[in-house]
Amino acid sequence: MLGADRTLTAFARVLAGPGRPAVAASTISRWESGAVAVGYGAVRRYEVVLGLPRNGLVAVIDTVNRHWSNTIVSAPALIRRVRTDAVDDLLDRACSGAIMRGSDWDRLTYALTSNGQATYLPRSLWAQLSDRLLAELQLADGLRWHERYEAMGRLLAYAGSRPAAIDSCVQAALDSRNQMAIEAVSALDGSDHHDASAAVLRQLERPTNSGAQAGALLASVRKIRAGHFGPDQRQRIAIVLHDLRDCPDSAGTIRLGRAILRDTSRARALPVRAQLKHSSFDHERRTVILRRVMTRIQAPLEVPAEDVILTQLVSEMLFSLCPGSRLSAASTIAASPYRASAAAAVAAELRHPSGLRLGWATALLDALRIVGGSAERRLVERLTVSPEIPEPLAATAAYSFCHLGGRTPDEFWASAIAAQTVHRSSAPRVAVLRGLVYSAGMTGTAPVLARLREDPTSPAVRTAAGWWLDLPASILSSARQ
């Protein structure tokens, strides 16, 4: 799609390259139509030919495969050759303050958990590896997150590393200061061990903080689908979901509850008495929106016919109640030539007269976090500071703009903080301030964090900013590599 000559024959010549075996156009056709599975070597060659970063496609495929698989295994579905030549060096770096890139974690965890032979490491070493990997996973973004998510999934599934990996997640979730407990708890969906299920249930019933409970809800979607909970545990989960019906928390929590109930109702995996209201978007309304978005996405690329796979992915990205499904769909779109036009189409929906409906706007912002870029950053920043925007939506925007390309100017931070502390409601908008703390932390904007650590309006804001400022520099630096 991005080449001057769009024929498969021309692409086959480029894909083969000098000194490499020829690739038939028919083979590429079968890969791209899904008739034949694509191997690791072919995916890597696509990355090279298309000028994509290493693992730019591989890591997304790994994420999607692991999310949709009900089988907990350490080896990724995209099998590659095991290389053990650099294991010692990578182990030394991981257990020290040296930089670890996402590709380093990919190589190290693959060699340790997917080589077909039992790998012995002392328990203390497995603990060091899993603690550091989880710490970086909590702070990573984009491709760097995908690589670490897959690496953590391997440690949670592999028998030798599983106890340490579960314990790392449990301890991180029990830390009341941890501002990223959502990552620690949600990662436990990658283990079918009873300790992982018990930890998720604990954070549902007696959460350490709101992030830990949100992570437990995220983990529950996959764990219930895969049958990780026993009858008594499912009953207890149903009670929690029943109580969440009247929860004044953000719309995201309610969406998660609905996702669990919808995905499990057909299989009667939970008691039917736990019911939450249906989505406000009926089928006809979704069809109109989807058609409008698809037109905006495909028009700039002059695609001759509707891409039915893209249509399905966009529908899942915008309307699925399951967060993992939305993430998988958005990540696949973000790894494709459709990314820029998809981001523009989603941004156009945010500007649409109906775009600021709370639930719908939240779904749009969630999509922009994955597919958006610098062109959409200013729009999301404006939603953060606009006095007309409800606090839950402004908070979602405050958590989102750091994931987009570009840079936030210094003057924005000052005006955004002031807008929340002198809001016309007279009460400080703490949820938005905490979102600003998150974005300042993710972008490494230390002066803003230092200012918010002294914020007189909220202990929660001061605690959040202090947690970010106390993070080890080596972990912060590695998570961005």
Side-chain angles (χ1 to χ4, degrees):
M1 289 179 61
L2 297 182
D5 185 343
R6 297 187 180 188
T7 66
L8 287 179
T9 302
F11 185 68
R13 288 196 299 268
V14 176
L15 194 65
R20 299 178 63 88
V23 179
S26 59
T27 298
I28 298 175
S29 177
R30 287 193 291 270
W31 285 340
E32 298 198 356
S33 65
V36 175
V38 187
Y40 172 79
V43 178
R44 281 287 297 122
R45 187 62 186 159
Y46 264 73
E47 293 174 352
V48 171
V49 168
L50 298 177
L52 300 173
R54 182 182 181 89
N55 289 342
L57 296 177
V58 169
V60 173
I61 292 172
D62 286 341
T63 297
V64 173
N65 283 340
R66 197 165 288 276
H67 167 71
W68 286 108
S69 174
N70 282 338
T71 304
I72 304 297
V73 295
S74 57
L78 199 60
I79 300 297
R80 42 273 220 180
R81 184 169 62 90
V82 177
R83 292 187 56 184
T84 59
D85 53 320
V87 167
D88 287 344
D89 175 62
L90 290 171
L91 278 173
D92 288 341
R93 288 164 54 191
C95 295
S96 68
I99 294 293
M100 283 289 287
R101 297 166 300 185
S103 57
D104 295 330
W105 284 113
D106 176 55
R107 293 166 59 204
L108 176 59
T109 57
Y110 190 87
L112 292 176
T113 66
S114 308
N115 61 7
Q117 300 177 354
T119 300
Y120 173 77
L121 291 179
R123 283 178 293 179
S124 59
L125 191 52
W126 282 124
Q128 282 184 270
L129 290 176
S130 56
D131 283 348
R132 175 164 182 182
L133 176 56
L134 178 62
E136 292 184 18
L137 173 64
Q138 292 181 136
L139 308 175
D141 186 30
L143 171 58
R144 296 171 292 275
W145 180 88
H146 283 287
E147 290 172 320
R148 289 169 173 83
Y149 171 82
E150 170 62 21
M152 195 69 196
R154 296 169 192 168
L155 294 187
L156 283 163
Y158 183 65
S161 55
R162 181 173 56 199
I166 292 175
D167 188 62
S168 293
C169 295
V170 170
Q171 296 307 315
L174 293 175
D175 179 3
S176 60
R177 294 185 71 228
N178 187 357
Q179 301 302 301
M180 300 297 289
I182 185 172
E183 290 283 359
V185 184
S186 62
L188 290 170
D189 73 354
S191 173
D192 54 3
H193 194 274
H194 57 81
D195 287 347
S197 298
V200 169
L201 185 57
R202 173 177 178 170
Q203 291 298 339
L204 279 174
E205 296 179 322
R206 304 183 305 281
T208 303
N209 54 37
S210 59
Q213 187 175 51
L217 287 165
L218 283 167
S220 295
V221 177
R222 181 182 178 196
K223 292 181 76 65
I224 294 173
R225 186 184 73 206
H228 293 178
F229 294 113
D232 176 66
Q233 290 174 316
R234 292 197 298 272
Q235 176 69 35
R236 291 161 61 187
I237 292 170
I239 293 172
V240 171
L241 295 176
H242 185 271
D243 293 341
L244 282 177
R245 290 183 308 173
D246 304 316
C247 177
D249 201 354
S250 67
T253 300
I254 302 302
R255 280 174 64 89
L256 284 172
R258 289 207 309 266
I260 296 172
L261 289 168
R262 190 204 61 176
D263 285 359
T264 58
S265 61
R266 294 188 186 93
R268 298 187 178 275
L270 289 175
V272 294
R273 65 184 181 83
Q275 296 294 324
L276 294 172
K277 63 182 180 180
H278 295 293
S279 170
S280 58
F281 278 108
D282 58 24
H283 177 73
E284 182 177 350
R285 178 65 175 152
R286 289 197 299 268
T287 300
V288 171
I289 293 172
L290 184 60
R291 186 181 302 118
R292 186 166 64 222
V293 171
M294 286 299 303
T295 299
R296 287 181 174 135
I297 292 176
Q298 293 194 245
L301 293 176
E302 301 178 357
V303 180
E306 180 182 357
D307 185 331
V308 294
I309 299 298
L310 177 66
T311 302
Q312 178 65 28
L313 290 170
V314 171
S315 179
E316 291 178 6
M317 176 179 74
L318 297 179
F319 302 120
S320 175
L321 288 176
C322 177
S325 299
R326 296 200 305 273
L327 172 65
S328 293
S331 297
T332 304
I333 294 170
S336 79
Y338 289 117
R339 178 172 190 161
S341 59
V346 173
E349 286 301 310
L350 266 177
R351 297 186 183 96
H352 193 271
S354 64
L356 293 183
R357 292 176 56 180
L358 183 57
W360 175 227
T362 299
L364 292 171
L365 286 169
D366 285 347
L368 272 186
R369 284 169 70 120
I370 308 298
V371 302
S374 56
E376 292 74 42
R377 188 168 184 134
R378 297 294 173 260
L379 168 64
V380 180
E381 288 173 347
R382 288 197 296 272
L383 293 177
T384 302
V385 299
S386 173
E388 307 301 324
I389 301 299
E391 182 174 3
L393 178 55
T396 301
Y399 278 98
S400 299
F401 68 79
C402 62
H403 294 282
L404 308 179
R407 179 183 177 276
T408 296
D410 294 340
E411 54 269 22
F412 169 84
W413 293 106
S415 62
I417 294 170
Q420 312 316 319
T421 54
V422 296
H423 192 260
R424 63 183 182 180
S425 66
S426 74
R429 305 217 292 184
V430 173
V432 184
L433 286 170
R434 294 189 68 174
L436 291 171
V437 170
Y438 171 83
S439 281
M442 289 295 291
T443 55
T445 314
V448 174
L449 292 172
R451 175 177 176 179
L452 289 168
R453 186 169 56 180
E454 307 302 323
D455 180 76
T457 62
S458 169
V461 172
R462 294 194 296 272
T463 297
W467 181 83
W468 281 98
L469 287 169
D470 290 341
L471 290 172
S474 60
I475 298 298
L476 286 167
S477 297
S478 285
R480 295 171 181 138
Q481 301 289 325

